[in-house]
Amino acid sequence: MATPGALRRTYTRIASHAPWSAWAWRNTAFATAAIPPALPLLLGAAALVALPGHSALPLLLVLALRPLLTLLQRSRFRTLLGLDVPPVVHEHRWATVRGLAERLRSESTWRQYGYHLLVSPLTAAGAAALVLTWAGGAAGACVYAWYWLLPSDGELPSPGWTAQYDAITGLGVLALLAAPWLAAALTRIDATAAAALLGPNRARELERRVEDLAESRAGVLDAADLERRRIERDLHDGAQQRLVSLAMNLGIARATLTDLPPEARAVIDEAHREAKEAIEELGDLVRGLHPAVLEDRGLDAALSGIAARAPLPVELTVDLPRRPGSTVEAVAYFVVSEALANVAKHARARRCSVHVGGVADGRRGGDLLRVVVTDDGVGGADPAGGTGLTGLRKRVGSVDGTILINSPFGGPTTVTVELPCGL
């Protein structure tokens, strides 16, 4: 047995789709509004019947009125249905030769013609049938009222007239119940066709968005790289130079002030040592941000410095046919620096090799910068077990690169990174 709540919901749903509901009248108004934009084609068809020699007249009408018809259809969808069909953006104005040529070559123009020549007449015919359904249903449902309201000529009705009127009334009620669903079907078909034909091509639009996002991301990466360079210059030319000057003054004081008490000399010695350690830490920080040698002399010289400072022997090979972009260089430098730091901390390796070279990208076209770091350590590197490899993945993914880590237990560990040089 149905509960009162279920009955109430069922009644609410039936009432919301009844012939007198706002849903029914909104769809009916939208569907019938498709008739006026189809009138040019209907007039052209009538002229074709009246003037058989002018067979191109309907087509010429639609060709000439296509921009206006498209504007009217977009306004109809936006005003009556709340559906925004985005316009097709062209580079040149239509009044110029380039603009006309661009529109003739654009597939969106021919899709709009397809809508106006095929979909619009069909929806207009469906709207006319919908109007007849509403009118016929209303007239049939009220046939008894027409019988009593219209004047009689004094003749008696034919036998069985009540059965005929009952059938007409039933058909009229059925037509009134079916009209909202017919209006909804016309609305759904028209909206689907308009989204596919009147607006821009979705695949092309997605491609354009991907290109825009790629350009925006490249701009953000370049801006971040420039900001790192600015910070590196500020630290190198500002704070680091002041620390160097402080260490020099402390060294001079320690060498010249020989008659100071032992406690004062101990304080100077401690300050001098702390200043030199701060200089070293600041130098490491500056090199981690963006080393000056990377910008001045390229990836080979910068990686040579990393390999020379590593606590284990590193065999470095750099074979690049041309210098990649600054952003890709910075990512490759970070990859090698972080990989060697992980090897020194966790791998317990005796040797390590780094190979940097350029390869062709067979899938996407262009060139790739491939970085391969191999060590003879204990292996077992897990990207989910620490932040070092996770940071590598994020940094490589920021430029659409790929990273592959092969690290079985017992070693060796091989980290392969491929970066697109076209960024």
Side-chain angles (χ1 to χ4, degrees):
M1 183 176 180
T3 61
L7 292 176
R8 185 164 54 251
R9 287 192 296 270
T10 302
Y11 173 77
T12 302
R13 183 177 181 182
I14 293 175
S16 63
H17 292 76
W20 58 82
S21 64
W23 172 79
W25 288 109
R26 186 195 65 172
N27 290 332
T28 300
F30 173 78
T32 54
I35 297 177
L39 288 179
L41 188 65
L42 297 178
L43 293 176
L48 178 61
V49 175
L51 304 172
H54 298 77
S55 57
L57 185 58
L59 181 60
L60 290 177
L61 280 174
V62 176
L63 289 176
L65 298 177
R66 192 266 311 172
L68 178 59
L69 293 177
T70 302
L71 184 63
L72 289 176
Q73 293 289 2
R74 288 200 183 100
S75 177
R76 178 171 71 97
F77 279 96
R78 182 174 57 255
T79 304
L80 299 178
L81 202 60
L83 177 64
D84 188 14
V85 179
V88 179
V89 179
H90 296 283
E91 184 177 356
H92 302 93
R93 297 181 57 186
W94 67 271
T96 62
V97 176
R98 288 186 177 180
L100 291 176
E102 180 185 7
R103 282 157 179 79
L104 289 176
R105 290 194 303 265
S106 175
E107 50 88 22
S108 61
T109 300
W110 301 106
R111 286 191 289 107
Q112 291 177 6
Y113 282 137
Y115 179 88
H116 297 310
L117 290 172
L118 297 177
V119 179
S120 182
L122 291 177
T123 54
L130 175 64
V131 173
L132 292 178
T133 302
W134 279 109
C142 301
V143 65
Y144 278 106
W146 294 114
Y147 175 77
W148 292 110
L149 291 176
L150 294 178
S152 175
D153 54 1
E155 295 182 2
L156 296 175
S158 60
W161 68 276
T162 55
Q164 297 176 359
Y165 278 30
D166 289 343
I168 294 174
T169 301
L171 292 176
V173 172
L174 290 177
L176 289 178
L177 292 176
W181 297 100
L182 176 60
L186 288 174
T187 299
R188 184 164 55 252
I189 294 173
D190 199 2
T192 303
L197 299 177
L198 288 183
N201 187 296
R202 292 186 177 182
R204 297 283 182 86
E205 189 68 14
L206 287 176
E207 290 179 1
R208 187 184 63 81
R209 286 189 177 185
V210 170
E211 292 176 357
D212 292 343
L213 289 175
E215 292 179 0
S216 300
R217 187 191 61 182
V220 170
L221 292 175
D222 290 341
D225 187 56
L226 290 175
E227 184 65 17
R228 284 195 298 269
R229 295 185 187 186
R230 185 190 64 80
I231 295 174
E232 182 269 333
R233 287 194 302 269
D234 292 343
L235 291 176
H236 183 272
D237 299 337
Q240 192 173 27
Q241 295 300 322
R242 292 191 178 188
L243 284 174
V244 170
S245 177
L246 175 62
M248 291 178 61
N249 291 333
L250 290 173
I252 294 173
R254 186 181 61 176
T256 57
L257 301 177
T258 57
D259 55 347
L260 292 177
E263 295 81 3
R265 292 185 59 82
V267 171
I268 294 177
D269 291 341
E270 180 68 20
H272 186 251
R273 184 171 59 256
E274 291 289 341
K276 291 194 296 183
E277 291 178 358
I279 292 174
E280 292 180 0
E281 292 181 1
L282 187 58
D284 294 337
L285 176 61
V286 168
R287 285 191 295 270
L289 287 174
H290 190 91
V293 66
L294 178 61
E295 183 176 357
D296 297 337
R297 300 175 56 189
L299 195 58
D300 192 356
L303 295 183
S304 298
I306 296 180
R309 293 190 301 270
L312 72 162
V314 177
E315 180 184 353
L316 175 65
T317 304
V318 179
D319 182 14
L320 294 175
R322 60 184 179 87
R323 185 171 180 178
S326 59
T327 303
V328 175
E329 276 190 339
V331 174
Y333 177 87
F334 174 83
V335 166
V336 175
S337 177
E338 187 66 22
L340 291 181
N342 289 335
V343 170
K345 290 179 182 178
H346 310 293
R348 287 181 284 175
R350 292 173 298 176
R351 299 186 62 83
C352 182
S353 66
V354 178
H355 176 75
V356 181
V359 295
D361 185 3
R363 293 175 301 171
R364 295 176 291 186
D367 296 329
L368 291 175
L369 176 65
R370 177 177 291 173
V371 179
V372 181
V373 181
T374 306
D375 67 79
D376 59 354
V378 297
D382 184 9
T387 59
L389 296 178
T390 303
L392 276 179
R393 287 189 181 276
K394 291 181 179 180
R395 192 69 176 266
V396 170
S398 67
V399 293
D400 268 349
T402 59
I403 180 171
L404 177 63
I405 301 173
N406 184 16
S407 181
F409 286 99
T413 297
T414 302
V415 178
T416 304
V417 174
E418 291 184 347
L419 307 172
C421 294
L423 186 65

